[in-house]
Amino acid sequence: MTAGTGSDVAGARAELAALCARGPVWTPDPLSDFGSPASVRRSAVLVLFGVLDSVPAATAHPAVARDLDVLLTRRSALIGHHPGQVSFPGGGIDPGDADERAAALREAVEETGLDPAGVEILGTLPPLPVVVSNNLVTPVPAWWTSPSPVAATDPAETVDVFRVPVADLVDPARRCTTVLTRGGRTYRGPAFEAGGVLVWGFTAFVLDRMLDALGWAVPWDEGRTVPAPV
């Protein structure tokens, strides 16, 4: 990406749309880690960008508008899968959903109360496996054309809904690597320190890949590690 083309909100929306339109932006991960690929649950998440409030990013970035945000939620500590983690709104694809896009938007409405009329779906990105919960998840980038009030609608599932400035996410000082040891294996993955919370796991993988594919990422110290908060 040419430096500065995403430095205004209109440019950012155009780049996100182009990312979805150009075909697979990364190679889909293999399903070999699933014990039974045939039983994998298919899910979708809404990766919703836009000007979500009037508070700009604390960090300046030449290629990202300071008022560009992405919507995130924090899962209940009592939920069965990924308790307490920061995530995109989303969930399983139901039989009544037309496709991944419809599922992601429906789940986002159910979790945050947003008005779907103000959301423009831009496309889909290659699905990624979440082996620990037996899910194959499709990211669905979207643009918030007309922001509406949002809040956690079901405390048993979601306890917080908030925005994070994208320019803060690409700040190298806020990036790190999480380390998780489970079942005798050690897992390492990208993470972001934003809004007083740690964004890690699947959500951080999607953000990391999208920032790279958009050309918005800058080098950061992958050797700076923090333990996964589990």
Coordinates of all heavy atoms in Angstrom, one line a residue, residues 64-124:
V64 N -3.0 5.2 8.6 CA -4.2 4.8 9.3 C -4.9 6.1 9.9 O -4.2 6.8 10.6 CB -4.0 3.7 10.4 CG1 -5.4 3.4 11.0 CG2 -3.4 2.5 9.8
A65 N -6.1 6.3 9.5 CA -6.8 7.5 10.1 C -6.9 7.3 11.6 O -7.2 6.3 12.1 CB -8.2 7.6 9.5
R66 N -6.7 8.5 12.3 CA -6.8 8.4 13.8 C -8.2 8.2 14.3 O -8.4 7.8 15.5 CB -6.2 9.7 14.4 CG -4.7 9.9 14.2 CD -4.2 11.0 15.0 NE -4.3 10.7 16.4 CZ -4.1 11.7 17.3 NH1 -3.8 12.9 17.0 NH2 -4.2 11.4 18.6
D67 N -9.2 8.4 13.5 CA -10.6 8.1 13.9 C -11.2 6.8 13.4 O -12.3 6.5 13.6 CB -11.5 9.3 13.5 CG -11.5 9.6 12.1 OD1 -10.6 9.1 11.4 OD2 -12.3 10.5 11.6
L68 N -10.3 6.0 12.8 CA -10.7 4.7 12.4 C -10.7 3.7 13.5 O -9.7 3.5 14.2 CB -9.8 4.2 11.3 CG -10.1 2.8 10.7 CD1 -11.5 2.7 10.0 CD2 -9.0 2.3 9.8
D69 N -11.8 3.0 13.8 CA -11.9 2.1 14.9 C -12.4 0.7 14.4 O -12.9 0.5 13.3 CB -13.0 2.6 15.9 CG -12.7 3.9 16.4 OD1 -11.6 4.2 16.8 OD2 -13.6 4.8 16.4
V70 N -12.3 -0.3 15.3 CA -12.8 -1.6 15.1 C -13.6 -2.0 16.3 O -13.2 -1.7 17.5 CB -11.7 -2.7 14.7 CG1 -10.7 -2.8 15.9 CG2 -12.3 -4.0 14.3
L71 N -14.7 -2.7 16.2 CA -15.6 -3.0 17.3 C -15.2 -4.4 17.8 O -15.1 -5.3 17.1 CB -17.1 -3.0 16.8 CG -18.1 -3.2 17.9 CD1 -18.2 -1.9 18.8 CD2 -19.5 -3.6 17.3
L72 N -15.1 -4.4 19.2 CA -14.7 -5.7 19.9 C -15.7 -5.9 21.0 O -16.4 -5.0 21.5 CB -13.3 -5.6 20.4 CG -12.2 -5.5 19.3 CD1 -10.8 -5.3 20.0 CD2 -12.2 -6.7 18.4
T73 N -15.7 -7.1 21.5 CA -16.5 -7.5 22.7 C -15.6 -8.3 23.6 O -14.6 -8.7 23.3 CB -17.7 -8.4 22.3 OG1 -17.3 -9.7 21.9 CG2 -18.6 -7.7 21.2
R74 N -16.1 -8.4 24.9 CA -15.4 -9.2 25.8 C -16.4 -10.3 26.3 O -17.5 -10.0 26.7 CB -14.9 -8.4 27.0 CG -14.1 -9.3 28.0 CD -13.2 -8.5 28.9 NE -13.7 -7.2 29.3 CZ -13.0 -6.1 29.5 NH1 -11.7 -6.1 29.3 NH2 -13.6 -5.0 29.9
R75 N -16.0 -11.5 26.2 CA -16.8 -12.6 26.5 C -17.0 -12.8 28.0 O -16.0 -12.5 28.8 CB -16.3 -13.9 25.9 CG -16.3 -13.9 24.3 CD -15.4 -15.0 23.7 NE -16.0 -16.3 24.0 CZ -16.9 -16.9 23.2 NH1 -17.4 -16.2 22.2 NH2 -17.4 -18.1 23.5
S76 N -18.1 -13.4 28.4 CA -18.3 -13.7 29.8 C -17.3 -14.7 30.3 O -16.9 -15.6 29.6 CB -19.7 -14.2 30.0 OG -19.9 -14.8 31.3
A77 N -16.9 -14.5 31.6 CA -15.9 -15.5 32.2 C -16.6 -16.8 32.5 O -15.9 -17.8 32.8 CB -15.4 -14.9 33.5
L78 N -17.9 -16.9 32.3 CA -18.7 -18.1 32.6 C -19.0 -18.9 31.4 O -19.6 -20.0 31.5 CB -20.0 -17.8 33.4 CG -19.8 -17.0 34.7 CD1 -21.1 -16.6 35.3 CD2 -18.9 -17.7 35.7
I79 N -18.7 -18.3 30.2 CA -19.1 -19.0 29.0 C -18.2 -20.2 28.7 O -17.0 -20.3 29.2 CB -19.0 -18.0 27.8 CG1 -19.9 -18.5 26.6 CG2 -17.6 -17.8 27.4 CD1 -20.1 -17.4 25.6
G80 N -18.7 -21.2 28.0 CA -17.9 -22.5 27.9 C -16.7 -22.4 27.1 O -15.6 -22.9 27.5
H81 N -16.7 -21.6 25.9 CA -15.5 -21.6 25.1 C -14.9 -20.2 25.2 O -15.6 -19.2 25.1 CB -15.8 -21.9 23.6 CG -16.3 -23.3 23.4 ND1 -15.5 -24.4 23.8 CD2 -17.4 -23.8 22.9 CE1 -16.1 -25.5 23.5 NE2 -17.3 -25.2 23.0
H82 N -13.5 -20.1 25.3 CA -12.8 -18.9 25.3 C -13.3 -17.8 26.4 O -13.6 -16.7 26.0 CB -12.8 -18.2 23.9 CG -12.5 -19.2 22.8 ND1 -11.2 -19.8 22.7 CD2 -13.3 -19.8 21.9 CE1 -11.2 -20.6 21.6 NE2 -12.5 -20.6 21.2
P83 N -13.5 -18.3 27.6 CA -14.1 -17.4 28.6 C -13.2 -16.1 28.9 O -12.0 -16.2 29.0 CB -14.2 -18.3 29.9 CG -13.2 -19.3 29.7 CD -13.2 -19.6 28.2
G84 N -13.9 -15.0 29.0 CA -13.2 -13.8 29.3 C -12.3 -13.1 28.2 O -11.8 -12.1 28.4
Q85 N -12.3 -13.8 27.1 CA -11.4 -13.3 26.0 C -12.1 -12.1 25.2 O -13.3 -12.0 25.1 CB -11.1 -14.4 25.0 CG -10.0 -15.4 25.5 CD -9.6 -16.3 24.4 OE1 -9.6 -16.0 23.2 NE2 -9.1 -17.4 24.8
V86 N -11.3 -11.2 24.7 CA -11.7 -10.2 23.8 C -12.0 -10.9 22.4 O -11.1 -11.7 22.0 CB -10.7 -9.1 23.7 CG1 -11.1 -8.1 22.6 CG2 -10.6 -8.4 25.0
S87 N -13.1 -10.5 21.8 CA -13.4 -11.2 20.5 C -14.2 -10.2 19.6 O -14.7 -9.2 20.0 CB -14.2 -12.5 20.8 OG -15.5 -12.1 21.3
F88 N -14.3 -10.6 18.3 CA -15.3 -10.0 17.5 C -16.7 -10.5 17.8 O -16.8 -11.7 18.2 CB -14.9 -10.3 16.0 CG -13.6 -9.9 15.5 CD1 -12.6 -10.8 15.2 CD2 -13.2 -8.6 15.5 CE1 -11.4 -10.5 14.8 CE2 -11.9 -8.2 15.1 CZ -11.0 -9.1 14.7
P89 N -17.7 -9.8 17.5 CA -19.0 -10.4 17.7 C -19.2 -11.4 16.6 O -18.8 -11.3 15.5 CB -20.0 -9.2 17.5 CG -19.2 -8.1 16.7 CD -17.8 -8.3 17.2
G90 N -19.9 -12.5 17.0 CA -20.1 -13.6 16.0 C -20.4 -14.9 16.7 O -20.6 -15.0 17.9
G91 N -20.6 -15.9 15.9 CA -20.9 -17.2 16.4 C -21.2 -18.2 15.3 O -20.9 -18.0 14.1
G92 N -21.9 -19.3 15.7 CA -22.1 -20.4 14.7 C -23.1 -20.0 13.6 O -24.0 -19.2 13.8
I93 N -22.9 -20.6 12.5 CA -23.8 -20.4 11.3 C -25.0 -21.4 11.5 O -24.8 -22.6 11.5 CB -23.1 -20.7 10.0 CG1 -21.8 -19.8 9.9 CG2 -24.0 -20.6 8.8 CD1 -21.0 -20.1 8.7
D94 N -26.2 -20.8 11.6 CA -27.4 -21.6 11.8 C -28.0 -22.0 10.4 O -27.7 -21.4 9.4 CB -28.4 -20.7 12.5 CG -28.0 -20.5 14.0 OD1 -27.1 -21.2 14.5 OD2 -28.7 -19.7 14.7
P95 N -28.8 -23.0 10.4 CA -29.5 -23.5 9.2 C -30.3 -22.4 8.5 O -30.4 -22.3 7.3 CB -30.4 -24.6 9.7 CG -29.7 -25.1 10.9 CD -29.1 -23.9 11.6
G96 N -30.8 -21.4 9.3 CA -31.6 -20.3 8.7 C -30.8 -19.2 8.1 O -31.3 -18.3 7.4
D97 N -29.4 -19.2 8.3 CA -28.6 -18.1 7.8 C -28.3 -18.4 6.3 O -27.9 -19.5 5.9 CB -27.3 -18.1 8.5 CG -27.4 -17.7 10.0 OD1 -28.3 -16.8 10.2 OD2 -26.7 -18.2 10.9
A98 N -28.4 -17.4 5.5 CA -28.1 -17.5 4.1 C -26.7 -17.9 3.8 O -26.4 -18.6 2.9 CB -28.5 -16.2 3.3
D99 N -25.8 -17.3 4.6 CA -24.3 -17.6 4.4 C -23.6 -17.0 5.6 O -24.2 -16.6 6.6 CB -23.8 -16.9 3.1 CG -24.2 -15.4 3.0 OD1 -24.4 -14.8 4.0 OD2 -24.2 -14.9 1.8
E100 N -22.2 -17.0 5.5 CA -21.4 -16.5 6.6 C -21.7 -15.1 6.9 O -21.7 -14.6 8.0 CB -19.9 -16.7 6.2 CG -19.5 -18.1 6.0 CD -19.6 -18.6 4.6 OE1 -20.3 -17.9 3.8 OE2 -19.0 -19.6 4.3
R101 N -21.9 -14.3 5.9 CA -22.2 -12.8 6.1 C -23.4 -12.6 6.9 O -23.5 -11.8 7.9 CB -22.3 -12.1 4.7 CG -21.2 -12.3 3.8 CD -21.4 -11.7 2.4 NE -20.5 -12.1 1.4 CZ -20.1 -11.3 0.4 NH1 -20.7 -10.1 0.2 NH2 -19.2 -11.7 -0.5
A102 N -24.5 -13.4 6.6 CA -25.7 -13.2 7.3 C -25.6 -13.7 8.7 O -26.1 -13.1 9.7 CB -26.8 -14.0 6.6
A103 N -24.8 -14.8 8.9 CA -24.6 -15.3 10.3 C -23.8 -14.3 11.1 O -24.2 -14.1 12.3 CB -23.8 -16.6 10.2
A104 N -22.8 -13.7 10.6 CA -22.0 -12.8 11.3 C -22.8 -11.6 11.7 O -22.7 -11.1 12.9 CB -20.7 -12.3 10.5
L105 N -23.6 -11.0 10.8 CA -24.4 -9.9 11.1 C -25.5 -10.2 12.2 O -25.7 -9.4 13.1 CB -25.0 -9.3 9.8 CG -25.8 -8.0 10.0 CD1 -25.0 -6.9 10.6 CD2 -26.4 -7.6 8.6
R106 N -26.1 -11.4 12.0 CA -27.2 -11.7 13.0 C -26.6 -11.9 14.4 O -27.2 -11.4 15.3 CB -27.8 -13.1 12.5 CG -28.8 -13.7 13.6 CD -29.3 -15.0 13.2 NE -28.2 -16.0 12.9 CZ -27.5 -16.6 13.9 NH1 -27.7 -16.3 15.2 NH2 -26.5 -17.4 13.6
E107 N -25.4 -12.5 14.5 CA -24.8 -12.7 15.8 C -24.4 -11.4 16.4 O -24.6 -11.2 17.6 CB -23.6 -13.6 15.7 CG -23.9 -15.1 15.5 CD -24.3 -15.8 16.8 OE1 -24.1 -15.2 17.8 OE2 -24.8 -16.9 16.7
A108 N -23.9 -10.5 15.5 CA -23.5 -9.1 16.1 C -24.7 -8.4 16.6 O -24.6 -7.7 17.6 CB -22.8 -8.4 15.0
V109 N -25.8 -8.5 15.9 CA -27.1 -7.8 16.4 C -27.5 -8.4 17.7 O -27.8 -7.7 18.6 CB -28.2 -8.0 15.3 CG1 -29.5 -7.5 15.9 CG2 -27.8 -7.2 14.0
E110 N -27.4 -9.7 17.8 CA -27.9 -10.4 19.0 C -26.9 -10.0 20.2 O -27.4 -9.9 21.3 CB -27.9 -11.9 18.8 CG -29.0 -12.4 17.9 CD -28.9 -13.9 17.6 OE1 -28.0 -14.5 18.2 OE2 -29.7 -14.4 16.8
E111 N -25.7 -9.9 20.0 CA -24.7 -9.7 21.0 C -24.5 -8.2 21.4 O -24.2 -7.9 22.6 CB -23.3 -10.2 20.6 CG -23.3 -11.7 20.5 CD -21.9 -12.2 20.0 OE1 -21.0 -11.4 20.1 OE2 -21.8 -13.4 19.6
T112 N -24.7 -7.3 20.5 CA -24.4 -5.9 20.8 C -25.6 -5.0 20.6 O -25.6 -3.8 21.0 CB -23.3 -5.4 19.8 OG1 -23.8 -5.2 18.5 CG2 -22.1 -6.3 19.8
G113 N -26.7 -5.4 20.0 CA -27.9 -4.6 19.8 C -27.7 -3.6 18.6 O -28.5 -2.7 18.5
L114 N -26.7 -3.7 17.8 CA -26.5 -2.7 16.7 C -27.6 -2.8 15.7 O -28.2 -3.8 15.6 CB -25.1 -2.9 16.1 CG -24.8 -4.2 15.3 CD1 -25.3 -4.2 13.9 CD2 -23.2 -4.3 15.2
D115 N -27.8 -1.7 15.0 CA -28.8 -1.7 13.9 C -28.2 -2.2 12.6 O -27.3 -1.6 12.1 CB -29.3 -0.2 13.7 CG -30.4 -0.1 12.7 OD1 -30.7 -1.1 12.0 OD2 -30.9 1.0 12.5
P116 N -28.7 -3.3 12.1 CA -28.0 -3.9 10.9 C -28.2 -3.0 9.7 O -27.4 -3.1 8.7 CB -28.8 -5.2 10.8 CG -30.1 -5.0 11.5 CD -29.8 -4.1 12.6
A117 N -29.2 -2.1 9.7 CA -29.4 -1.2 8.5 C -28.2 -0.3 8.3 O -28.0 0.2 7.2 CB -30.7 -0.4 8.7
G118 N -27.4 -0.1 9.4 CA -26.3 0.8 9.3 C -25.0 0.1 9.0 O -23.9 0.8 9.1
V119 N -25.0 -1.2 8.7 CA -23.8 -1.9 8.4 C -23.7 -2.4 7.0 O -24.6 -3.0 6.4 CB -23.8 -3.2 9.3 CG1 -22.6 -4.1 9.0 CG2 -23.8 -2.8 10.8
E120 N -22.6 -2.1 6.4 CA -22.3 -2.5 5.0 C -21.3 -3.7 5.0 O -20.2 -3.5 5.4 CB -21.7 -1.4 4.2 CG -21.3 -1.7 2.8 CD -20.5 -0.7 2.1 OE1 -20.1 0.3 2.7 OE2 -20.2 -0.9 0.9
I121 N -21.7 -4.8 4.6 CA -20.9 -6.0 4.5 C -19.9 -5.8 3.3 O -20.4 -5.6 2.2 CB -21.6 -7.3 4.4 CG1 -22.6 -7.5 5.6 CG2 -20.7 -8.5 4.3 CD1 -21.9 -7.6 6.9
L122 N -18.6 -5.9 3.5 CA -17.7 -5.7 2.5 C -17.2 -7.0 1.8 O -16.8 -7.0 0.6 CB -16.4 -5.0 3.0 CG -16.7 -3.6 3.6 CD1 -15.4 -3.1 4.2 CD2 -17.2 -2.7 2.6
G123 N -17.4 -8.1 2.4 CA -17.0 -9.4 1.8 C -16.6 -10.4 2.9 O -17.0 -10.3 4.1
T124 N -15.9 -11.4 2.5 CA -15.4 -12.4 3.5 C -13.9 -12.6 3.3 O -13.4 -12.3 2.2 CB -16.1 -13.7 3.3 OG1 -15.9 -14.3 2.0 CG2 -17.6 -13.6 3.6

